[in-house]
Every structure is written in structure tokens, then in C-alpha cells.
Amino acid sequence: MSEAHTHHEMSFWEKYVFSTDHKIIGFQYMFTGLFMALIGGFFVYVFRMQLAFPGIDVPGFGHVSELAYNSLVTNHGTIMIFWFAMPVLIAAFGNFLIPLMIGADDMVFPRINRLSYQIFLLSALVLIASFFVPNGGFGGSWTAYPPLSAEAQYNATPLGAPMWVIAVGLEFVAFLLGGINFITTLMNARAPGMKMYDIPIVLWMIVIASILFMCSVGPLLAGAIMLLFDQLIGTGFYNPAHGGDPLLWQHLFWFFGHPEVYVVLLPAMGIVAEIMAVFARKKLFGYKTILYSVFATGILSFVVWAHHQFIAGIDPRMANLFTVTTLIISVPIAELCFVYIATLYGASITFSTPMLWALAFMAEFLIGGVTGIFLGASGLDVYYHDTYFVVAHFHYTFVPIAIIGFYAGITYWFPKMFGRMLNEYWGKVHFWGTIIPFNFIFIPLFILGAAGQHRRISGYVHFPDLYTQDLQNLRIIATVSLIAMLAFQVVFIVNMVYSWFRGKKAEINPWKANTLEWTVPSPPPHGNFAEFPTVYRGPYEYSHPDREVDYWPQNEPGPDPAKSRK
Amino acid sequence: MAFQVPVATSRSSTGIPTSRLAVWWVLASEIVIFGGLLMSYLLFRLLHTSWGYEAAHTNPYAGGFNTFVLLTSSLFVVLAHQAAEVGDTKRSFRYIWYTIAGGGVFMLVKAYEYTSEIMHGYTMLKSVFWSFYYTATGLHGFHVLCGMVIMGIIAQDVKKGKNLHRVEAIGIYWHFVDVVWIFLFPLLYIAK
Amino acid sequence: MSEAAEHHDDHSPGRYVKIWVILLVLLAVSIIGPTLGIKWLTLITAFGIALVKAGMVCAYFMHLNIELKYIWYLLLATLLLLLVLFTGFAPDVMKPSGQRWVSTYVEPTEEEIAVHHPEEGNEGDRIEAAPH
């Protein structure tokens, strides 16, 4: 069927810029996200240098004023969540994988898909532009609490603040459009025979993440409009003197903000599930358990938000309630981790680069999850809140999610995306060069946080209790490790660019995997499938005793072992 | 550039046509957008006794007339859908334009209301009640405008007999905009 | 919904007009309601009728009565979410004072709210100028 597509001569612009092909749009999201990650990485380098060596001229930036420091921290957080984690994990992998894995030729609404990317690009441009207006980018922290965010006299960025709100709002609209596309595509466009429990876990995760995003972002979009009016017109939505309430924003923000954690976590967990099953050569343990745990996580994620506000003056009775729900939500997440480990149990594991990343994800994310228990308990949080303990905690969740999850995904699907194999040796060098410094950045921050180091201070020179030699040494260790980690990313970039053009040609199915994307040429042509596949069984039938080969593609005619076993 | 609708769009694993399914998800996301705004309003409305007096300065007759206009336009768009279903593109086209006209009347009445309120000093800055009033009705009006524009585009297709399934999709959206107004009306105009 | 099931296939224009007439009658009641001046009655005529109207538009105009059931569940789930939002926000947002703080906001009286003479230049005043 795709003959008409492939032979249609397209100009460069049609093919790569204004394309409606889901794969190209996925790449657009991915490269825009990676570009933004470079900016976010540069920002963190600058402000970590300021923290380790207060007052120096940072090479490549210069002197870091307090205003600049606030702006750098704020935009580092904003970029890494909204312009790196979301576009890369959900939009890039979602766009690339959903049609391929369900045996369709494209998304159901390709032009809305393109519009979604264009709005996303616009939002990124607005954000970047906000760094160059007078007084620089917004500096009221990525959570944008009023009155700091609402009034220019406090945040000192009269132009940066509204531009930041507009950029974030546009980004939300882009992901709403994209998310609705993902959801309807998975619901409606599946290949014949692909039933609910035949869908690869990663697609479930991406789509559930899109649903979570869609259900939680609405109130914040309304809240963002209100914040914008407070900033630009001078209304009093968040101003208690006029009958408004600053806590309203905190609630609206975290009502979105907490589900957002799971919005980015779930796709990463899905990617890891795919990789683990393939490289353990074992059927994924407890497919339905995973799915139901994710449902439970999704539902619970809507009733935990106020644990971010324990010291914001919220009602203490509510704080009790939210402590309980917060501790409950760790149950399904722990369930997921156990089930993943059960997949590994007794398997003959291949330690390829993607598998290393997947295992590292589990190990590092566990640390992030366990330290979250401390912060979820409202009593302990009174001490830990706004210290570097919190910073280290959420970086131990977000770095595994966004960075390790991305590297796991890209190293696994690189052959399919670009038709070449990545270099394994340099892949492993990059892996260790990222994982080891990563731990050396954030373990010191846990200690600093426990010592009482507050988050939102641009230098500790004026705080004698915190400016001791021991603590300063820890800051220097963290900063040096950060620079090492950033430097090792060059290895990845070189490896990726080199392999893209000079790497070993990839076969159709280099990992011997079951899912449908491995049945089309690498890279897949426009239209994906020469002949649309039919699905006969679930995606994780590895090492089945009745088979000579240890994998069993979903589209190979034959019995469905899930049925015959019953 | 010739855009070809992919095969994926015509599939329907759920049994619901893709366009309609997508509209339901759009509405789900819109419910939480309007819901978040209206819940915030309601929290303040129940807290501040003075907002009842503020609400007394809205014009319930203009609001009521606008409810009538939107209900009627909803009738037109459902008739347009019905006509499209039986293949009567001419009648469908006509009803779509009646609906757009209804949206136009709504916007005119709204413009009149805004003008008279601002002239009398009830601006967005008078109190947070009025901030909510303008934000909520403004967001709703924006949705009315979007609906009108999209309907104008769809009407052109219907005239040529193309994409008739879109009449139903935009109809569902338009009814939703109507339903939002059905709640905005008592919240902002009637409850005093 | 049993009634809806009976009219499963009735898509005639006449039926839509009938529903429209019922909606208009309901609208008239909701406008007349507050003029009687009884508070609980106003609440019923305003919000009770809004719910009925919205339900009718959803069921008959949006054809939710003949749509797959889970679309109802989807839309109701989002409404449930709003209920969670409301109950979670209410203890904080609706609190006029706490243990260590009081709100400086003073509710204006009915007299203060009315803008009697726009000529006096109240027009376009910023909130700061409003009486506290």
C-alpha cells in the first residue's frame, strides 16, 4: 500500500521539516529535546560552578549574579522537565514507537501531530527568547509560587516571567494535542488480532502517561491564565489582599505537578520493561500485574499532591491524609520494581549497552524512591523541606527517568531509527562515564541536605554554619563530578553521529525481539509496513519450550501460548 | 503537497469512529480546564460573602438570552448532523451556518454585556469576582470563536460533500461549549 | 436511561425540536426562580436545572445515550477528579485565618460594591483603590 507514498518525490522541507510522518516528527521532538537538554546542562554547569567556587568568573559565562543564579536554576528545572524529559520520553518515543508497534502506517491524525510539534517548537523558542529580554529569564523557581512569580517587584523579571508562563502554557497545549493523538491511535488503530493484553508494555505506559497528563494539566492551564493576568493586568487571583489566595496556585501547580512525575516515569519504566524482556530472553514476568500496578499508580497519583506543600501552611489534618496516600503510592511502584526483578530471576542476561542502562535505571531509581519515603512523611519533611536532600531525592528519580531512560531507549531502538548499530565499546564507556559521576554528584548532596543546606541560596559565603571546609569539599566533589558527567556525554554524541553514518548496517531484527517494529526494514520506510501485519500473540514470548528459536514474533502465524496454556 | 490520510485513521478497534473518539478525549481534557477554573471560582465564591453582591451587577437577562441562543444553536448543529447522516449536504450546510450565526449573536450579546459592565466600572480589576467573570466568560467565548471558525471550514467541505463525519465531531464540541455555558450561567449570573 | 434505550434509533428532527422546547422551558424556570427570592429554591432552580439541562444536552444532542458506555465513565471520571480537586483545595483556600495569621482582606459591604456614579471616575480604578 505504501508504494504511492515512497515514490512520491519530496523536497527536503517536505520530508524533514513539514513532514507528517510520525517517525520524522518523533525525531524532531527528540533532537529539539536534546538541544534543550544541552542548554539545561550548560545552566547546571554554570550554577554548580558558582556553588563550588563562589564568586569566580565561570568559564564560558562570567560572573554569576544573584539574579542570574535564580534564572539559571529556574530554567534548568523547567527545561529538564518540560523541554527534555517530556518531549524525549513521551513525544519522541511515543511518536516513533506507537504506529510501528501496533502495526499501523502512521498516527491517526498526522497533521495534528505536526501541529503539536510546531507548537512545541514555538514554546521552546519563546522560552529561549525569554533569556535575552531585559533582566533575563524568569527567576521564581520552576514551581512559580506567587507572589514571587506574580509580581515583578519580587521576581525582578517583568518580561521574563510572563514569557515563561506563556512558553509553559504553549508546551502544555502541544502535549495535549499530541497526547490525544497517542491515546486515540492506540485505542483505534491497532493491527487486527492485537487485543488489550497483546500491546507492548511501553505503549501502555506512554498512553497512560498521556492520560494522566491530560487529566491533570487542565486546572494548571486555567491557573496559568490566572497567573498571567496577575502578572500582566494586575488582577488579584493569588493576592490575599484582594481576596485571592497564593495557596490556590500551589494546589493547582502540584495537582498537575505530582501526576507529572508519573507522566515521565511511566514511559521510562515501559522502555526498561521492553529491554529487560529482550535481553533476559524471558517472558516478561506478570504482564497484567504490571498493568494493574500502573493503573493503581495512576489513580493514586491524583491524591498525593499536597505532600509538596507540607510546610506551606496547609491544613495539618490534610497533611496527615496526604502522608498516608503518599506512602500508599510507593506500594504499586515497589510492586513494579519487584516484578521487573522477577523477570531477571534465573535469566541468561546479555549485558549489552541497553540492558546496562535498564539495570542502572532500576538501581538508581530505587535510591530515589526510597529517599522519597522520608520526604513523604510530613513530620520529617518539616526538616528536610527545601534542603538539598530534596534536590538529591528528585534528581535520583528524574535522572534515571529522563537521562538513563532516554539512553536505554536510544541505544535499544537506534538500529531501527537510523539503520545502523551503535558502537558497543564506546557505548559502555559512556555508560560507566555517566553512571559513576552521577552518583558522585548526588550522594554528597544528600549529606549536604541532611546537614541543613538550603536549596535556594546562590552561595554560602554568608552562612558560616554551612560554609565549613568539609561541606565546601562536598560541593566541590559534586561540581567536579558534574563536569565529568557532562564531558562523557561528548562520547555519546560522537558515537551517535559516527554510528549514524559509519556504523555497522543493522539487520531488520538485531536483538531478536518479538514486537512489530522489528519486522520492518531499518530504518522503516514511509508508511512502515509493506503489508499490514496480523497479531497472533503477546509481545513477550521468549524462550518458549515448544520453539527451536528463543523468540516468537507477534505477527508469525501460529497458536497463542497464552490461550493454549489455559 | 498531497496529503494522504493514513490507513490508521480508518481503523476502529474500539468500534467508535476515530474522529468521534478523539473529540471525547478533547472534551475530557476541556472538562478539567474549565473545571479547574470553575472550582477555583466556587471555592472563593463560597468563602466570600460579598461576591453575591458583586454577582447582582451582572445582567441575568442578557445571560439568559445567550443561554437561549446557545441552546438553539445546539439544536441547529444536531440537525446539521442529522442531515449529514442522511446525506442531505445542502440542508446540513445551511444548518451549520445557522449555528455559526448563533455563535455570532452570542458573541455580540457578550460584547454588549462587557461594554456596559466596563462602562459602569465593573472592570476586571474591580474585584477577584470580576476577574473570574471575565476570565471564565472570556475563555468560554474563545471556545465559541474557535468553534465558529472550525465550523466555517467544515461547512465548505460539507458543501462539496467531503468529510461529512466531521459534522458530528464539531457538533459534539459545540454541545460541550453549550454545556459549559449552562453551568457558567447560574454560577456567575443567577446565584446571588 | 430506559427512556433513552426506547428511542434508540429515533433521529428525526421532530424529536430534537421536542428536546429543545423542554430545554427552553427549563431555562425559563431557571431565570424566573431567583425572582421569587427564596434562597434554597434559587439554588435548586439554578443548579438543579443546570444539571438536568446539561444531562439532556449530553444524552440527546451529543448522543451519549447511544454511545459506548465507557465514554460516560471517562467523562464522569474527569468530573470525579474535579471533586477530588475541590475537597483537597477547600481546607486551605477557604480558610480566612489560621493559628499564626489572619487575612487582611475585609469583605466589602453591598453598598461599597455598587458603583453608583461612573462619572466620578471609579471607572478603570485598579483594585488597590477599592475600599478594604
Side-chain angles (χ1 to χ4, degrees), chain C residues 38-107:
Chain C
I38 308 167
K39 197 159 187 191
W40 61 267
L41 192 69
T42 306
L43 284 178
I44 292 174
T45 55
F47 294 101
I49 285 181
L51 282 174
V52 175
K53 274 196 290 192
M56 284 182 73
V57 171
C58 288
Y60 300 112
F61 282 177
M62 291 159 113
H63 295 119
L64 269 173
N65 55 348
I66 50 170
E67 184 60 277
L68 287 182
K69 266 281 171 289
Y70 64 72
I71 300 294
W72 266 120
Y73 301 147
L74 164 67
L75 299 179
L76 288 177
T78 58
L79 290 177
L80 189 74
L81 209 59
L82 293 176
L83 196 71
V84 170
L85 186 149
F86 186 90
T87 43
F89 287 21
D92 299 325
V93 177
M94 289 177 66
K95 194 157 62 176
S97 66
Q99 279 186 324
R100 304 261 170 88
W101 59 276
V102 282
S103 173
T104 53
Y105 176 72
V106 183
E107 296 286 341

Side-chain angles (χ1 to χ4, degrees), chain A residues 22-78:
Chain A
H22 69 101
K23 299 182 287 293
I24 300 296
I25 294 172
F27 292 150
Q28 288 174 334
Y29 266 115
M30 191 169 85
F31 288 116
T32 316
L34 291 178
F35 174 73
M36 294 304 279
L38 288 180
I39 299 179
F42 176 69
F43 284 2
V44 67
Y45 151 76
V46 174
F47 71 73
R48 276 308 319 175
M49 285 296 280
Q50 156 69 18
L51 287 171
F53 313 104
I56 65 154
D57 275 346
V58 179
F61 185 85
H63 177 68
V64 183
S65 66
E66 272 114 4
L67 197 66
Y69 179 86
N70 288 343
S71 176
L72 289 166
V73 173
T74 303
N75 286 295
H76 166 72
T78 315

Side-chain angles (χ1 to χ4, degrees), chain B residues 75 78-79, chain C residues 11-20 60-61 63:
Chain B
L75 173 71
V78 82
L79 290 174
Chain C
H11 279 212
S12 67
R15 178 169 164 70
Y16 293 127
V17 173
K18 221 188 295 171
I19 289 155
W20 174 69
Y60 300 112
F61 282 177
H63 295 119

